[in-house]
Amino acid sequence: MKNVSKQSGFTYAKKILADPDQAGLIFWLGFRPFDEDELAVLIDSESTAIELALQKLRENGVVNPIKDDKQKWTLSNDGEDLRNMLISLSVWGRQRMDDQEEIIPQLIVEPEQMADLKSLVKFRDEVVRKYMNI
């Protein structure tokens, strides 16, 4: 007999997104493929924490179970869907916060996919952290 979970789908998704390392991986791996060292810089976390978060996301079908041909991690189709929801919720929430404070929302322009790590870290510090706690 199967165990029936009392947890809702929303609660399950929220648990994944509440972990800043997992949410960060979902965001960045949807931007382009990265290896563990690049992800550690972008997420500003220890390598062991990155490995654990990657493992959890692979188990949940969010990150592809094997690296691509360049030995970098990528999101699965389900991971791409989750990333789109993460971004939509983050932008919606930030816009509501700005509206309440009567601040004109910032126009978000993502860097080019081939941007170097230094540019991506700057984008993380100036934009991504404002919208997401990653």
Side-chain angles (χ1 to χ4, degrees):
M1 184 172 178
K2 274 187 159 179
N3 289 338
V4 178
S5 175
K6 305 266 188 238
Q7 180 173 306
S8 71
F10 180 75
T11 303
Y12 187 80
K14 196 167 68 170
K15 183 179 175 183
I16 292 171
L17 297 177
D19 180 319
D21 288 341
Q22 290 184 65
L25 289 170
I26 292 167
F27 176 80
W28 289 111
L29 289 174
F31 184 74
R32 75 170 187 237
F34 289 102
D35 63 31
E36 291 91 340
D37 293 336
E38 294 167 322
L39 290 167
V41 170
L42 290 170
I43 297 174
D44 196 21
S45 193
E46 298 291 322
S47 296
T48 53
I50 298 298
E51 267 302 317
L52 181 60
L54 279 167
Q55 178 183 345
K56 289 178 184 176
L57 292 174
R58 287 192 311 267
E59 290 169 359
N60 285 311
V62 175
V63 170
N64 286 312
I66 58 173
K67 295 178 182 180
D68 67 7
D69 57 347
K70 294 181 181 177
Q71 296 302 302
K72 296 188 178 201
W73 294 105
T74 57
L75 289 181
S76 65
N77 289 337
D78 288 344
E80 290 287 347
D81 291 343
L82 186 56
R83 182 184 192 263
N84 290 335
M85 287 184 266
L86 168 66
I87 291 172
S88 294
L89 286 169
S90 299
V91 170
W92 179 87
R94 185 72 232 185
Q95 287 175 342
R96 298 298 74 73
M97 290 168 59
D98 288 348
D99 285 347
Q100 289 175 355
E101 296 176 20
E102 298 182 1
I103 298 171
I104 297 172
Q106 176 182 352
L107 177 63
I108 303 169
V109 179
E110 283 191 345
E112 293 183 24
Q113 284 190 332
M114 297 315 299
D116 62 12
L117 273 179
K118 183 178 178 181
S119 299
L120 294 178
V121 167
K122 182 178 179 185
F123 177 72
R124 177 201 66 197
D125 293 344
E126 294 177 0
V127 178
V128 175
R129 287 194 172 149
K130 181 178 179 180
Y131 287 83
M132 297 171 236
N133 188 25
I134 57 173

